[in-house]
Amino acid sequence: MKIAVLGAGAWGTAVAIHAAQHHEVTLWTRQPEHAQAMQAERSNTRYLPGVAFPQALSVASGIATAADVADDDLLVLAAPVAGLRRQLEQLRGSAVPMVWLCKGFEAMQPGASFGLLPHEVKQQVAPELIAGVLSGPSFAQEVARSQPTALVVASPHAVVCERAVQALHGGTMRVYRSDDLVGVEVGGAVKNVLAIATGVLDGLSQRAAQGAEGFAPGLNARAALMTRGLAEMTRLGVRLGADGATFMGLSGMGDLVLTATGDLSRNRKVGLLLAQGMTADQAVDSLGHVAEGVYCARTVLARADALGVDMPITRCVVALLDGAIAPVDAARLLLGRDAKNEHA
């Protein structure tokens, strides 16, 4: 089986490394100098230092077009949400099944009132493509080091799910199938926003434990926030046409647990830094990597508002990122909401 991974960031590289244990894989990067370095070092030291490339992994440079990857059996699109539209434009007319790895809502395009999910971008740009999403709780470093991971592939096209399973299922990775493309995408997008909120709560708790005066939420608050966050994620997903059961799975609860509590989570780290008093810009600059929750929080809220979906945690995260509210005030605001039925 021949697989092309288009995008050589940490996650794209990790997927390429895993797939190359059993298949022929080409890892594409837009930068010739990056390709030369990876080929010479047999490693992506920029994003995954210390992890060697399997023998079956080769490197190519440039912007891959449909003609460049016509002989491959599966395309893995590893661009962030902001780069997906351009990547799909280059692949117009391709007959090769493909999955994207990005999680989030696209930033609002000129004249639009809200941002789009990846499959909606595809419908605008290249509706003829046979595509889906690969998502779930997965840190790139652990996948690259062959630590156990479970993912879900979702697509309305059976061949997409079949190719993704054939390419990636096995060894330390399990890949489950789903036909709920909307639900899997919503879970992958909203969990990043909720991870920022959880990081803020944990950061306030850490400050209190270190002797700083102020509000100390604690572990009870973390559990409550994650549970209620899952509820608002589900409300949005169902309103967009998803199956509510999807959010009890890998791309909902699973990815939320990992991203909100794992020390490798960039979105959680943003929340921790906000709790320390940094601005959103300062927090992002300190990471050196993309934290998708920062960029899609406003688009998630705009989509929810357009649909009349109540998302109080997301609204607080947006206010925090805009500097309109302090972390401790945001936590108290959520706790001060009126009582209601849990599943209303």
Side-chain angles (χ1 to χ4, degrees):
M1 188 174 188
K2 293 180 64 177
I3 302 162
V5 179
L6 312 184
W11 187 215
T13 302
V15 171
I17 288 170
H18 173 77
Q21 294 175 11
H22 303 287
H23 304 284
E24 182 182 342
V25 178
T26 303
L27 178 62
W28 285 78
T29 176
R30 294 174 58 187
Q31 302 170 327
E33 64 277 12
H34 190 202
Q36 293 170 4
M38 288 192 292
Q39 194 67 277
E41 298 163 356
R42 299 301 298 162
S43 176
N44 189 345
T45 56
R46 183 183 300 180
Y47 294 108
L48 283 175
V51 183
F53 285 175
Q55 186 175 357
L57 195 160
S58 60
V59 179
S61 64
I63 298 175
T65 66
D68 294 323
V69 295
D71 293 332
D72 288 290
D73 299 300
L74 177 70
L75 308 183
V76 179
L77 313 187
V81 173
L84 180 64
R85 181 176 291 267
R86 183 181 182 190
Q87 200 168 57
L88 292 172
E89 288 171 347
Q90 296 295 325
L91 295 171
R92 282 175 178 155
S94 175
V96 181
M98 61 187 71
V99 292
W100 45 77
L101 306 180
C102 54
K103 300 175 181 181
F105 284 76
E106 184 185 49
M108 287 178 280
Q109 297 294 301
S113 57
F114 50 77
L116 302 178
L117 286 164
H119 80 275
E120 295 172 320
V121 176
K122 195 271 288 187
Q123 283 302 110
Q124 276 194 354
V125 172
E128 76 282 0
L129 296 178
I130 303 170
V133 60
L134 182 70
S135 193
S138 48
F139 288 140
Q141 294 92 327
E142 293 194 1
V143 169
R145 292 182 170 86
S146 296
Q147 293 179 260
T149 302
L151 301 174
V152 57
V153 56
S155 174
H157 308 285
V159 66
V160 173
C161 295
E162 291 167 3
R163 293 280 177 90
V165 169
Q166 183 183 354
L168 299 170
H169 184 88
T172 56
M173 181 178 288
R174 295 188 60 81
V175 180
Y176 293 84
R177 300 175 183 87
S178 172
D179 59 5
D180 187 6
L181 179 59
V182 174
V184 171
E185 287 189 337
V186 170
V190 178
K191 60 91 182 180
N192 286 326
V193 181
L194 301 175
I196 294 175
T198 310
V200 170
L201 281 191
D202 287 348
L204 292 172
S205 297
Q206 290 174 8
R207 284 176 55 84
Q210 293 165 1
E213 294 184 5
F215 186 59
L219 297 177
N220 291 350
R222 178 207 275 182
L225 179 77
M226 291 174 63
T227 304
R228 295 311 303 164
L230 186 62
E232 68 179 60
M233 174 196 293
T234 304
R235 283 197 297 272
L236 177 62
V238 169
R239 185 67 179 82
L240 285 166
D243 181 349
T246 297
F247 301 100
M248 290 293 102
L250 290 167
S251 67
M253 182 173 65
D255 214 353
L256 174 60
V257 169
L258 181 75
T259 312
T261 65
D263 289 337
L264 295 175
S265 167
R266 296 190 292 268
N267 292 285
R268 169 179 159 78
K269 181 66 172 178
V270 168
L272 291 170
L273 295 174
L274 290 173
Q276 293 175 13
M278 284 192 183
T279 65
D281 288 343
Q282 290 169 336
V284 170
D285 289 344
S286 73
L287 291 179
H289 292 275
V290 173
E292 288 284 6
V294 173
Y295 302 105
C296 82
R298 296 174 186 84
T299 53
V300 169
L301 185 61
R303 193 66 181 266
D305 285 346
L307 294 168
V309 176
D310 185 28
M311 299 190 73
I313 299 172
T314 299
R315 192 173 301 280
C316 276
V317 170
V318 171
L320 281 167
L321 294 173
D322 288 343
I325 192 171
V328 65
D329 294 330
R332 286 177 170 149
L333 179 64
L334 289 172
L335 287 172
R337 285 170 53 82
D338 291 341
K340 57 180 287 187
N341 290 333
E342 182 179 13
H343 301 296

